[in-house]
Amino acid sequence: DGYDTGAIALALGQLGVPHALYTVQAKEDVHVLADRIGYLENRSIAATLHLGRLSVGDFECERSFLAERAERVQYTLREGYANVDDKA
């Protein structure tokens, strides 16, 4: 339900590109996600939402996996903070 994914969904919708939205529920507002799909459907744009749920333990395993294997990319607006530091 972040701004970046909302902007991407809107752009794809305006271009009429069918697409799917995937999220692993953590702090996402499910109502915002549902509204986003409704907005696209009202414009006859094929879009689907796939919502996954992980246990806390599984989420931490996935976080560790990514931290060990993902390339660290420094955020330009948050000194000392990178993609692998993100709590999402």
Side-chain angles (χ1 to χ4, degrees), residues 3-47:
Y3 295 117
D4 53 349
T5 55
I8 292 168
L10 177 62
L12 290 172
Q14 288 179 335
L15 293 171
V17 177
H19 58 284
L21 309 173
Y22 292 84
T23 186
V24 176
Q25 188 174 3
K27 294 182 181 178
E28 286 83 8
D29 184 333
V30 178
H31 299 292
V32 169
L33 299 173
D35 287 348
R36 189 173 293 159
I37 292 296
Y39 174 86
L40 296 169
E41 287 176 346
N42 287 339
R43 284 148 186 79
S44 299
I45 297 162

Side-chain angles (χ1 to χ4, degrees), residues 24 26-28 59 63 66 75 81 83-88:
V24 176
K27 294 182 181 178
E28 286 83 8
F59 186 85
R63 181 195 298 282
L66 290 172
Y75 291 154
Y81 195 73
N83 62 324
V84 294
D85 302 322
D86 198 319
K87 303 296 183 239

